[in-house]
Amino acid sequence: MLLAAGIFAGLALPPLAAALRDVVTPTVALLMTLVLLRVDPAQLLSYLRRPVMVAALLAWLLLACPLLAYAVVWMAGLAQGGSAALGAALVIMATGCAATSSPAFARLVGLDGEIALVAALLSTLLVPFTAPPLALGLLGVDLSLSIGALMGRLALVVGLPLLASLAIRRLAGPERLHRWGPAVDGAVVLSVVLYGFGVMDGVLAKLLADPGFVLGGILLAFAGSFALNLLTALAFLPAGQGLALSAGLLSGNRNMALYLAVLPAATDPRILLFFALCQFPLFLSPFLLKPVYGRLLRGR
C-alpha cells in the first residue's frame, strides 16, 4: 500500500516531486545497496553457473520482447497516425533493461530475488548495445545512448552499491544481516517511494493539459507491462514456475528512469511522458499481483 500511496502522493504534490527530482539517481544507488544486502550469495553464484538459462532470459528480455512489441504495435495500427508516438514509446519500453527495483519487488511478492538481481544487472550492462540498433531499425528512432556516459552512470548505480554492500556484509556478518532483514526490507520500500516522488515531477501539469493522452498512456503502460509479464512467464514455464514468475516480473518492469536520464532534449516529449507514466505499473504491480503470485506459489 505504501508503494501505491507514494506514487500518487508524488503526482498530487508537484512541489515535493520537483524538490526530489534530483535525488532519483542517489536513491537508486541506495536501493541497489539494500537489495544486494538481502540476496543470498550462494544462490546468486548458482545462477551464474547456469549460463545457458541466463543467456536465454537476457535474449528474451532484450531482443525477443521488442520484436514482439513491434509486431503488436504494427497489427494494432499504433505505428502510424496520431498514436504513433505511443506505439513507438511502447516498443522502446520493451527494449529497456530490467528495473533496478526488480529484485526488491521480487522479494516483496515472494519470488526469487537472486535471479532478478542477475538479470537486472546484466541487462543494464547490455542495453546500450541492444536498444539503440533495435529502436533505429524498427522505428527509425535514434536513442543516442552514449556507451561511455551510460557506463559512468552504471558505475554510480551499480559499482558503488556493490562495493558498499560487500563492505557492510563483511563488517556486519551473516547473522547480524539476517536479524536486520525486516529493517532492510522496510528501507527498500521507503527508497522506492522516494524514487517515485522524483519521477512524478511535471506529470500532473501534463495530465491537466492533455488528460486524454495521459490517461491513454497510463492504460497502454499497464497493458504493455502485464502483457510482457504474462508472455515471459509462459515462455519460461518449462524452466519451473518460480523462475517463470520471476522472469515475468522482470520483463514487465523495465528501467525507464535510465532512458529519462540519458535521452536528448530533442526526443519527442510524448515518448518521454510515456516513460514517466510507466512508473504507475512499476509501482502498482507488486500490490496488484502479490495475491496472484501467492495463489500460484501455494498451488505448486
Side-chain angles (χ1 to χ4, degrees), residues 93-257:
M93 182 267 280
T95 70
C97 54
T100 306
S101 55
S102 294
F105 287 168
R107 291 187 60 84
L108 285 174
V109 298
L111 298 180
D112 190 337
E114 282 70 34
I115 187 57
L117 179 62
V118 170
L121 290 176
L122 294 181
S123 64
T124 302
L125 293 173
L126 291 173
V127 76
F129 302 98
T130 60
L134 280 169
L136 187 62
L138 295 175
L139 305 167
V141 176
D142 184 2
L143 291 183
S144 301
L145 279 177
S146 165
I147 293 175
L150 188 55
M151 288 304 160
R153 180 179 174 84
L154 292 177
L156 176 63
V157 300
V158 177
L160 289 180
L162 177 61
L163 294 176
S165 66
L166 290 174
I168 294 171
R169 188 178 292 276
R170 182 175 182 85
L171 291 171
E175 293 184 3
R176 189 176 299 173
L177 279 178
H178 181 72
R179 293 198 303 270
W180 290 351
V184 173
D185 288 339
V188 165
V189 174
L190 292 176
S191 299
V192 174
V193 171
L194 187 62
Y195 161 83
F197 278 127
V199 295
M200 283 294 102
D201 181 37
V203 173
L204 180 61
K206 291 166 184 171
L207 173 62
L208 296 175
D210 192 354
F213 183 88
V214 173
L215 294 175
I218 291 174
L219 289 175
L220 186 62
F222 271 102
S225 174
F226 288 159
L228 288 172
N229 190 329
L230 178 60
L231 288 173
T232 302
L234 291 175
F236 283 86
L237 195 56
Q241 187 186 71
L243 189 143
L245 293 176
S246 297
L249 183 71
L250 286 166
S251 188
N253 294 330
R254 303 295 179 117
N255 189 350
M256 295 297 96

